[in-house]
Amino acid sequence: MRKLSFVLLMAIILPFTTIAQTIAPEGIWIRPTDKNIQYVGRISFKNPESPLFTYPGVQINTCFTGSSLKMVAKPMSGYFMAQIDNAKPFKVSFYAPKDSIVTLATALPKGNHQVKLMYIVEGYELRPEFRGFIVDNGESLKPAPKLPERKIEFIGNSITCGYGTEGANGECHFLYETENHYYTYAALAAKNLDAQYQVVSRSGIGVYRNYNGPKSGNEKNMRYTYDYTLFMDESEKWNFSRFVPDVICINLGTNDTSTKNYDTSLLTDAYIKLVNQVRRNNPKAKIVMLCGSMMSGKQLADAKSCIDKAVETLKKNGENRISKFDFTPADGSLGYGSDYHPSIAQHDNMAKELTAYLKKLMNW
């Protein structure tokens, strides 16, 4: 919770200064513009004093000196995972109306320390904003370690978001408290491969038809939002030069086929259009069409068939850097997360499968 005096101090300072550091009651407030703060993911810097993002997997890293570290964010921004040095990662909550500062570390030994932050929920409704760090008086930030050279982009739906990973079982329903992207196949595979990555994903989204949408499809699907920095926000086009992936993994189709009211010809055509759109913006990347792991029966067979037809057509049209990978379908033996989404154990298995595939494909 935040003291009123500091909230007022922030309100006074923000409009009138652009300096990177400000004296605060708890120490030195270091603003998001500090050159030592490292960002990864689709982030809007329209207001550089308060970077905004809506996709899970956004990362904020830095090093610091001193015995403590606090993080400043917009109240109701949601949840992050934090790791200090090599200690066990822990969840950080900005999910209360008055929470604007959270202590990340205290009573640390003297010397240099590192912090890694990851946004772990979908921020479309929450509109999270990062507003800096607070270090001890007399201390400062230091450059973050260099990021891995390998780069992966993940385009997906609730599976990639981490919907329900911390849910007790399949009968539980969605809560921000149980969504955790940190434990997803995407985050784990990237870690296994020593790669930096970014995510473009949203629960319920499809290639042509969102969850339980009309048979003719939804206009605002993944193809609509992919070109923008923020989800379903046309105010800012994404600058694709900011992140140039080596490989792009597309895990969509679960929502398109989630109810019986779908058209396989429209889905196949939509896969082709999405790949062409991704290719225009990423001319050198390899593209992998992922399938699974939530689908089964006719739904799974139709999705596989549509992807196969799309890949075949794309290859005939000269797309020679595309392939397909099928996850092992979930059968309940590894448990379920909320609403029968993949559990943490299922995501771990998916990550192992994808890691092995990408190692071979990319010669990593």
Side-chain angles (χ1 to χ4, degrees):
M1 303 295 290
R2 203 56 259 129
K3 296 179 180 177
L4 178 61
S5 60
F6 187 69
V7 174
L8 291 174
L9 176 64
M10 290 175 68
I12 292 169
I13 291 171
L14 275 171
F16 299 110
T17 181
T18 57
I19 60 174
Q21 298 182 357
T22 302
I23 301 299
E26 293 85 352
I28 299 175
W29 175 29
I30 300 182
R31 314 290 277 280
T33 52
D34 190 280
K35 65 181 181 180
N36 295 308
I37 300 176
Q38 180 187 82
Y39 297 95
V40 181
R42 290 202 177 188
I43 305 172
S44 172
F45 292 98
K46 276 189 172 181
N47 178 3
E49 297 288 352
S50 198
L52 166 66
F53 38 94
T54 57
Y55 292 115
V58 164
Q59 297 154 64
I60 303 169
N61 307 314
T62 193
C63 291
F64 63 98
T65 62
S67 62
S68 73
L69 182 71
K70 297 179 177 69
M71 174 183 172
V72 188
K74 187 191 81 173
M76 293 297 293
S77 282
Y79 294 91
F80 297 77
M81 288 290 281
Q83 183 178 25
I84 304 295
D85 298 331
N86 293 316
K88 184 178 179 179
F90 57 94
K91 186 180 284 189
V92 177
S93 173
F94 284 90
Y95 198 54
K98 295 183 180 180
D99 285 341
S100 59
I101 298 180
V102 171
T103 297
L104 301 180
T106 188
L108 294 172
K110 291 182 179 181
N112 293 327
H113 301 283
Q114 181 182 358
V115 59
K116 296 179 181 179
L117 289 164
M118 178 187 290
Y119 190 64
I120 57 170
V121 298
E122 301 169 66
Y124 172 52
E125 298 173 313
L126 302 174
R127 307 284 287 186
E129 297 179 21
F130 171 69
R131 293 175 177 169
F133 294 107
I134 295 176
V135 297
D136 297 334
N137 286 317
E139 305 295 346
S140 63
L141 298 188
K142 301 296 181 183
K146 186 178 179 181
L147 289 166
E149 292 186 5
R150 298 168 180 171
K151 294 181 181 179
I152 308 173
E153 180 174 77
F154 291 95
I155 302 172
N157 49 38
S158 57
I159 301 171
T160 304
C161 289
Y163 182 118
T165 51
E166 295 185 328
N169 54 59
E171 298 298 318
C172 298
H173 299 303
F174 178 82
L175 293 170
Y176 283 116
E177 290 90 336
T178 60
E179 182 172 55
N180 195 331
H181 173 80
Y182 189 86
Y183 298 115
T184 62
Y185 76 92
L188 296 174
K191 184 177 180 180
N192 292 343
L193 293 164
D194 190 26
Q196 58 174 297
Y197 75 102
Q198 73 171 16
V199 171
V200 185
S201 66
R202 172 67 177 168
S203 292
I205 203 163
V207 187
Y208 98 98
R209 175 179 176 262
N210 301 334
Y211 179 78
N212 202 28
K215 190 172 185 177
S216 59
N218 297 91
E219 179 184 354
K220 293 189 175 181
N221 49 44
M222 180 55 75
R223 288 183 289 124
Y224 168 85
T225 198
Y226 181 69
D227 288 343
Y228 299 109
T229 301
L230 306 173
F231 180 76
M232 296 298 177
D233 186 336
E234 298 180 12
S235 65
E236 182 179 351
K237 287 274 192 176
W238 173 244
N239 180 354
F240 286 88
S241 68
R242 284 171 54 182
F243 187 90
V244 182
D246 301 300
V247 59
I248 299 169
C249 297
I250 302 175
N251 191 0
L252 292 168
T254 303
N255 291 305
D256 299 83
T257 60
S258 58
T259 55
K260 295 180 180 180
N261 192 33
Y262 61 89
D263 185 320
T264 54
S265 62
L266 292 178
L267 178 55
T268 301
D269 184 60
Y271 275 126
I272 293 169
K273 289 178 178 177
L274 177 61
V275 171
N276 286 333
Q277 179 183 2
V278 169
R279 173 60 70 212
R280 286 194 299 272
N281 292 299
N282 303 275
K284 296 182 179 180
K286 290 187 178 181
I287 298 173
V288 181
M289 306 295 288
L290 305 179
C291 191
S293 64
M294 283 184 68
M295 295 180 283
S296 61
K298 185 177 187 300
Q299 176 194 11
L300 178 59
D302 284 346
K304 282 186 174 183
S305 176
C306 290
I307 294 174
D308 287 339
K309 289 177 182 177
V311 170
E312 181 182 0
T313 299
L314 287 160
K315 286 183 175 180
K316 286 181 179 178
N317 292 335
E319 174 56 72
N320 56 10
R321 283 167 290 173
I322 189 169
S323 60
K324 178 194 173 198
F325 177 77
D326 294 316
F327 288 114
T328 300
D331 60 6
S333 62
L334 296 175
Y336 289 109
S338 301
D339 292 312
Y340 295 92
H341 281 71
S343 64
I344 290 176
Q346 188 74 45
H347 273 288
D348 184 63
N349 189 66
M350 293 169 68
K352 289 175 181 176
E353 292 179 342
L354 184 59
T355 297
Y357 179 79
L358 291 180
K359 273 186 177 180
K360 184 175 180 179
L361 177 72
M362 303 301 295
N363 195 28
W364 286 349

